[in-house]
Amino acid sequence: MKKQRVKLTTTEKSELIVEAIVTIILLLLLNLSIVILIHLTFLQDPNLKHGVFFFREHFLLFNGEISSAAQIVTLIMIVGDFVVLYWRLTRRYRQMQLRHIIDELHDIAEGNFDHRINFLVNRNLQKVVESINLLIDSTVNTMSEERAIEKSKDELITNISHDIRTPLTSIIGYLGLLKQENISAEDQAKYLDIAYNKANQMKSLVNDLFEYTKLSSTDAKLNIVKINIYSMLEQIAAGFELEASNHNISIEVTARPKDLEIEADPEKLVRVFNNLIGNAFKYGKTATKIVLEANLVNKDQVELRVENNGEPIEDKLLKRIFDRLYRVETSRNSETGGTGLGLAITKGVVELHHGSVRCESNKDWTSFIIRLPLKATVL
């Protein structure tokens, strides 16, 4: 939107005209007073009068004609009058500009945060206007972020409550069945096993929530040690051998170079790989291979990859995949959905290490790509 100068109201234009008329009258009176004072001074002091005659006799100007002292004084007064008139009108105009800015601020202060001051004023006031607009934009953005955070917190409480209530209801239900006297030993074992699994599911939900909350706090700390990344990936892969076998999936580990070492928190980094591999089992349908890969990018960074050759993730889902409580599946499936905090925790751990994480997916591979510094930055 193109900015224009402040549009003066009819009243303000009238004020300027009155200001000009009053200033001209005052200046005319001042000029008349000066002329009278000069005239009286020359009449009362003969020496000044003789000095004027001497000036006329010895200093010649254009075409040899003597310039009149009265003409020079008149010219000086006219120039001075124009300067004073311009200064007073400019000052009054700036006061009107400031009045318009104050009116705009009152409008914004009443809650019209979509409004901005879009007119042009003098250079100094323009800096103030631009600062005000920036301040409003910053305030609006902060308010929007706070509303989004508040909404997200409400969603977190609602969804976590739902996820905890579901297994808790099952546990209570099966424990109620166990209290019956005519229940068989076989059913007792069955119900105990279901209640135990549901309790573990609840524990997993609470652990995820606790981990995410801990990562989100400003007091989150890392226990930095030097890690042989290939050895760590092999140990992680070994921990998933049974589950991979049940899913008919092979896990491959590669590192270039094989003795690649980084400084990181091993416990949190293992959590990252557990989350990503767990996601590959849950959502990488038709996958036959999971690849854990580490590559030295340059002298400062290492790239870690967790890839599977299962079904690709849609582009529209990739944009939100690291949002907390977001799930690739639309329904809140307690069997596969978890809390929806796994990838948010992954992102939190990576950022705590001053790294970055992204996801790419095509018909061949779905890849979670992590960049981490080789040397940890301890704050």
Side-chain angles (χ1 to χ4, degrees), residues 16-140:
L16 281 178
I17 293 171
V18 171
E19 181 78 15
I21 293 171
V22 170
T23 303
I24 291 170
I25 292 172
L26 292 174
L27 288 171
L28 289 174
L29 292 174
L30 179 62
N31 293 341
L32 181 60
S33 301
I34 292 172
V35 170
I36 292 172
L37 287 172
I38 292 174
H39 183 70
L40 291 174
T41 301
F42 274 96
L43 288 177
Q44 292 176 1
D45 193 340
N47 292 328
L48 287 175
K49 192 172 183 180
H50 292 306
V52 171
F53 284 128
F54 178 81
F55 180 81
R56 287 183 176 181
E57 290 174 0
H58 293 84
F59 296 95
L60 300 178
L61 296 177
F62 302 102
N63 299 323
E65 296 180 358
I66 305 299
S67 176
S68 170
Q71 291 176 337
I72 295 174
V73 171
T74 301
L75 180 61
I76 291 172
M77 287 193 296
I78 290 173
V79 172
D81 290 345
F82 274 109
V83 170
V84 172
L85 180 62
Y86 175 79
W87 173 74
R88 284 181 64 87
L89 292 179
T90 301
R91 188 185 66 170
R92 178 54 64 92
Y93 180 62
R94 288 177 178 175
Q95 289 174 347
M96 292 175 179
Q97 288 181 331
L98 185 58
R99 191 188 307 162
H100 279 267
I101 292 173
I102 293 171
D103 290 340
E104 296 286 314
L105 286 175
H106 281 304
D107 187 30
I108 294 168
E110 289 174 358
N112 187 11
F113 295 116
D114 293 330
H115 185 66
R116 297 294 180 274
I117 303 174
N118 287 320
F119 48 73
L120 292 172
V121 290
N122 70 79
R123 185 174 60 183
N124 292 331
L125 275 179
Q126 191 64 40
K127 292 179 180 179
V128 175
V129 167
E130 291 171 358
S131 297
I132 290 171
N133 286 336
L134 287 174
L135 179 61
I136 296 168
D137 289 337
S138 176
T139 302
V140 170

Side-chain angles (χ1 to χ4, degrees), residues 227-241:
I227 305 169
N228 183 300
I229 196 68
Y230 181 74
S231 298
M232 186 189 76
L233 293 180
E234 278 199 322
Q235 291 176 21
I236 293 171
F240 282 94
E241 275 186 4

